[in-house]
Amino acid sequence: MTPEEISLQEPFLKRIPFFSGLPSEDIASIAACLQPVSLSKGSVLFRPGDDPDAFYIITSGQVGILHAFGESESMVAVLGRGEIIGEGGLLTGEPRSMTVKLLTTCEFLKMVRKDFEQMLRDRPSVLLHISRVLARRLVPAGGAGGEAGRVHSQLVSLNAALEDSDRLLFCLHLALELLEQSRRSVVLVDMSVGAGGIAKALGIAPLLVSRSMLLEANFRDPRLIKTMIQQHASGLKILNLPAAVFDEFREQAIYLFLNILRESHDYVLVCSGVGTSAAQKAVLSEADAVLLAGSSSCKSQYRQMEGQMIPAAGARRIVRIWLGDLEPQDAAAETLPQVFPWPQAIAAEYARTKSPYAALDCCPPAKNAIGRLARGLSGLRVGLALGSGAAFGFAHIGILKVFKRHGIPVDAVSGSSMGSFLGGLFALGIDPEEMEEIACSIDRGWVYENLLWDLTVPRSGFFAGETLLRLLRSYFGSKEFRDLPTPFACVATDIENGEEIVLRDGRVAESVRASCGIPMIFSPYRLSGRYLVDGGLVNPVPVSVLPSLEADIFIASEVIGPINASAGRALTQKEDGVSAAGAAILESLSLPGALKAPSMFRTFSQMFFTMETWVAQARLGLADVVIRPELAGFSWTQLDKAKALIEEGERAAEQYLPKIKSLLPFFSDSCQVPLRLASPIVPE
């Protein structure tokens, strides 16, 4: 470096903990040996086994430290500005023991081994200082240095082909939801043609970044960016950067600018409109998440933006969002966007009240959808796995009632058997109270009327299952999984080879019918060339399906185990008549009540649920929380005991609420001015 560059770096080096406390002469000696290096996002600085030929000081950007675990690598730390990588290896000579990958475009100051060794010979005091620092930190040879607790900040690029008011409301509410759901620092960069409109909507006189401000700014000094940012009382920060001004950035300055924003914020949400200039393409290439939002009124601009963004961001990285209903020709497209409810009343209410809050209050489903998107961006999507268990499954309804009452969001749901039926209803948008009405309407009269006439020649099952399928079609109609507002999947078993089949494409009613097919009770259901039966045989509580639904937090509702008296106890004489389940009809007719030994049907049912219990126990390790209602005293055939089973589910869920809330930052009290009134789930 030149003498001028050395003098500029000295203040920065003095602030680095690794060098703090050294006299100015030693700092100047270190600076003279450093070489500036710039590398693009995704580059690998070094890998395990590489020669420790240099150490690096991060001056801009973030890197991830990865360690090998078997055949895969896992990120164990994130390092940023002012932190040092690879210094331990220079002192010991040991090969690198980790992979260092760039999470953003980064700038470094690099010191090669030859210069490092010469500096230590010339200045032994530096060696003594470094040795003491390393001893305090107890970093292994080749260690990363710095603090390992840093969290990788997220850069989100939101490109909106929307009407002005829709763009403003969607961008603003996404930023507010990110702030509320994550309870971390968020800056919204308003880079649209009408930059400043979002600030005005929040009652802030906008400070627009000008060309002169950019020319005067030193983007290697994070303190200067603070003069451009405004803060709302909620804690949301806003930077108004008109697109025309942003395009004036020099290429390298763009990366420095984005890295400074990352350094001081957990989430950087860059909102832009139509067009992809060189500066916008740089944002797309650096972004951790890329969103493309459109609507029917701006369809041509949406298609134009999509074509422009794919080369810079890649087709698979783009999350497509559609505000309002899809037109029939668009609904048949192979790549479907996420559809958000967005009636025209939202824009009309905003025009009338000028309040961005009142505008979305008129459409709670839209607000809920944005909240779900924010939880997805912040890694907080809640997945709920509803287990099998026939009548026991009614306890799931009680759990859903408690979740609604306390505002626990459910962003994805999976189910087996009865869990698939109730999970499908939830994904369809039916609330728990309506599910309760459905469940409580099932009595012995309903069983006689609906199940008894479904008896068939018992070649592969006592009931044909046609009545069950008609019931399911009465709720789901011809809807397919992709039509459901909440992501949903159910599990069935291929009875011919024992394979677990995860169903999440095609018609919902037919898939749930397959998942509910208790062997011997219902005939196997033929779907896509397979004979499918109850999913509880292979995956009674399908927590393992939740990652494929992009859930981050896994909650399981297990209603069949551990094995308790309810699964195998003998029914009393009063209960041994025709119960609410069609299976109990068969049992009541199969053997005289005077016989004490378990009936063939009871032996089968105990065997079936014992097997499900042990399979469930082996697969519940993935769950963050497992809710187990106490169902001793009930039988799995007692469909007419819905109300009591639901109450048991409510009692169990209430006990687990503190643990569930501890997983969701939303329920903490760290936000400066809470934006919510009650819960993340707005009543619909």
Side-chain angles (χ1 to χ4, degrees):
M1 290 193 291
T2 65
E4 291 77 13
E5 290 173 327
I6 292 173
S7 64
L8 289 174
Q9 292 295 349
E10 286 183 19
F12 168 66
L13 294 174
K14 286 181 178 179
R15 291 195 298 270
I16 297 175
F18 198 72
F19 298 128
S20 62
L22 285 173
S24 298
E25 311 86 70
D26 289 343
I27 293 290
S29 177
I30 293 169
C33 299
L34 296 171
Q35 307 168 15
V37 176
S38 180
L39 296 173
S40 61
K41 178 182 178 181
S43 301
V44 175
L45 203 58
F46 51 76
R47 299 182 184 278
D50 286 356
D51 180 49
D53 57 350
F55 78 78
Y56 302 82
I57 304 171
I58 306 172
T59 60
S60 178
Q62 293 184 339
V63 303
I65 309 300
L66 292 84
H67 277 294
F69 295 94
E71 297 181 357
S72 62
E73 286 185 320
S74 177
M75 188 178 300
V76 297
V78 175
L79 305 181
R81 176 179 167 83
E83 294 176 297
I84 298 181
I85 311 164
E87 71 291 347
L90 285 188
L91 291 171
T92 65
E94 294 291 329
R96 306 293 193 191
S97 61
M98 65 189 69
T99 299
V100 177
K101 186 175 182 179
L102 275 66
L103 303 177
T104 70
T105 294
C106 293
E107 288 191 342
F108 304 93
L109 293 175
K110 174 182 178 181
M111 183 179 291
V112 299
R113 180 164 50 200
K114 174 174 66 67
D115 292 338
F116 181 68
E117 292 172 348
Q118 183 61 49
M119 181 195 65
L120 295 183
R121 283 193 293 269
D122 294 342
R123 293 188 174 273
S125 59
V126 175
L127 174 59
L128 179 61
H129 176 82
I130 291 175
S131 300
R132 287 172 175 168
V133 172
L134 288 175
R136 286 197 300 268
R137 285 164 35 184
L138 297 177
V139 176
E147 297 179 8
R150 179 191 297 264
V151 178
H152 174 43
S153 60
Q154 300 289 309
L155 173 63
V156 181
S157 176
L158 171 56
N159 304 268
L162 300 168
E163 301 289 351
D164 289 344
S165 60
D166 291 337
R167 175 196 56 77
L168 183 150
L169 292 170
F170 185 74
C171 293
L172 172 57
H173 280 276
L174 179 56
L176 293 175
E177 287 290 347
L178 261 178
L179 178 69
E180 274 292 274
Q181 299 295 335
S182 70
R183 293 304 180 92
R184 294 168 67 189
S185 175
V186 178
V187 60
L188 189 160
V189 182
D190 186 359
M191 209 175 68
S192 61
V193 175
I198 293 176
K200 285 182 182 178
L202 289 173
I204 301 172
L207 170 65
L208 297 179
V209 175
S210 64
R211 289 182 176 84
S212 61
M213 293 171 69
L214 292 181
L215 291 173
E216 295 171 3
N218 176 7
F219 291 116
R220 287 184 173 85
D221 186 350
R223 294 171 298 179
L224 295 182
I225 197 72
K226 294 179 180 179
T227 62
M228 304 179 185
I229 291 177
Q230 298 175 286
Q231 183 166 327
H232 182 248
S234 65
L236 177 66
K237 297 178 183 179
I238 301 175
L239 192 152
N240 303 294
L241 181 60
V245 174
F246 186 67
D247 292 341
E248 297 291 323
F249 270 97
R250 301 184 307 279
E251 182 177 2
Q252 191 59 31
I254 294 172
Y255 300 110
L256 293 172
F257 168 74
L258 295 175
N259 284 339
I260 281 182
L261 291 175
R262 283 177 179 270
E263 186 68 29
S264 51
H265 302 89
D266 297 305
Y267 295 99
V268 181
L269 178 62
V270 180
C271 300
S272 59
V274 178
T276 49
S277 63
Q280 288 172 302
K281 288 179 180 178
V283 173
L284 291 172
S285 66
E286 288 291 296
D288 300 286
V290 178
L291 310 179
L292 172 60
S295 65
S296 296
S297 62
C298 299
K299 186 189 295 185
S300 60
Q301 296 97 315
Y302 176 87
R303 299 301 179 199
Q304 178 187 351
M305 287 183 69
E306 185 177 35
Q308 292 172 337
M309 289 168 61
I310 287 175
R316 292 185 178 181
R317 290 185 61 222
I318 300 174
V319 177
R320 297 163 176 83
I321 297 164
W322 196 261
L323 303 190
D325 296 330
L326 281 172
E327 296 178 4
Q329 61 270 29
D330 297 320
E334 184 175 345
T335 304
L336 286 177
Q338 299 178 23
V339 179
F340 283 28
W342 202 269
Q344 294 181 352
I346 291 177
E349 184 68 11
Y350 180 63
R352 186 180 70 83
T353 64
K354 302 301 180 184
S355 167
Y357 308 109
L360 256 69
D361 285 344
C362 71
C363 185
K367 195 169 184 179
N368 289 342
I370 295 174
R372 178 174 298 158
L373 175 61
R375 287 190 293 277
L377 293 171
S378 49
L380 296 169
R381 285 166 294 205
V382 177
L384 177 62
L386 301 179
S388 59
F392 292 151
F394 286 145
H396 298 319
I397 300 175
I399 292 168
L400 290 170
K401 286 179 67 178
V402 171
F403 279 21
K404 179 182 177 183
R405 188 157 61 238
H406 290 271
I408 305 296
V410 176
D411 302 306
V413 62
S414 63
S416 280
S417 196
M418 177 63 88
S420 72
F421 175 45
L422 298 174
L425 292 179
F426 178 84
L428 185 63
I430 294 178
D431 65 29
E433 287 74 22
E434 188 174 348
M435 290 187 208
E436 184 174 22
E437 289 181 14
I438 295 169
C440 291
S441 68
I442 298 175
D443 55 20
R444 295 186 180 186
W446 184 95
V447 172
Y448 277 120
E449 182 179 348
N450 291 276
L451 290 186
L452 195 59
W453 305 112
D454 198 37
L455 284 168
T456 185
V457 178
R459 180 176 182 274
S460 55
F462 287 104
F463 297 101
E466 290 301 315
T467 298
L468 174 59
L469 184 57
R470 283 197 297 273
L471 174 68
L472 295 171
R473 285 174 175 164
S474 70
Y475 294 107
F476 298 107
S478 59
K479 286 187 179 295
E480 299 191 1
F481 283 85
R482 67 181 188 177
D483 300 324
L484 300 177
T486 300
F488 169 62
C490 60
V491 175
T493 305
D494 186 326
I495 196 60
E496 294 185 305
N497 59 21
E499 183 181 351
E500 176 184 341
I501 307 298
V502 178
L503 303 168
R504 54 176 306 186
D505 293 303
R507 292 191 176 183
V508 180
E510 284 76 0
S511 297
V512 173
R513 159 63 183 92
S515 180
C516 290
I518 301 175
M520 291 181 60
I521 305 300
F522 292 104
S523 298
Y525 188 74
R526 186 169 175 81
L527 186 66
S528 301
R530 298 174 180 265
Y531 286 98
L532 302 180
V533 298
D534 198 295
L537 285 173
V538 289
N539 201 348
V541 190
V543 181
S544 59
V545 176
L546 294 176
S548 68
L549 298 174
E550 300 185 336
D552 304 294
I553 297 169
F554 305 153
I555 301 174
S557 174
E558 184 197 15
V559 294
I560 59 171
I563 300 173
N564 55 51
S566 63
R569 68 181 181 86
L571 292 176
T572 64
Q573 185 175 0
K574 180 179 179 181
E575 293 170 330
D576 199 27
V578 180
S579 74
I585 298 174
L586 296 176
E587 183 180 16
S588 69
L589 299 174
S590 62
L591 287 174
L595 292 180
K596 300 297 183 181
S599 68
M600 180 179 67
F601 178 77
R602 184 160 303 286
T603 300
F604 161 75
S605 65
Q606 175 68 352
M607 175 190 70
F608 181 72
F609 280 101
T610 299
M611 179 192 66
E612 283 200 2
T613 297
W614 289 113
V615 172
Q617 299 312 305
R619 305 193 66 171
L620 281 172
L622 287 173
D624 297 292
V625 179
V626 180
I627 302 174
R628 291 188 175 98
E630 177 52 60
L631 302 180
F634 294 95
S635 167
W636 68 276
T637 62
Q638 292 178 308
L639 292 172
D640 57 341
K641 301 292 184 181
K643 187 170 183 60
L645 287 162
I646 291 170
E647 290 173 354
E648 291 298 335
E650 288 187 72
R651 274 191 281 272
E654 290 283 355
Q655 294 174 4
Y656 286 91
L657 273 177
K659 186 173 182 180
I660 295 170
K661 288 184 176 182
S662 72
L663 299 172
L664 297 168
F666 179 89
F667 292 99
S668 71
D669 296 319
S670 58
C671 188
Q672 295 180 26
V673 177
L675 300 175
R676 60 186 166 95
L677 295 177
S679 76
I681 300 299
V682 180
E684 300 183 14

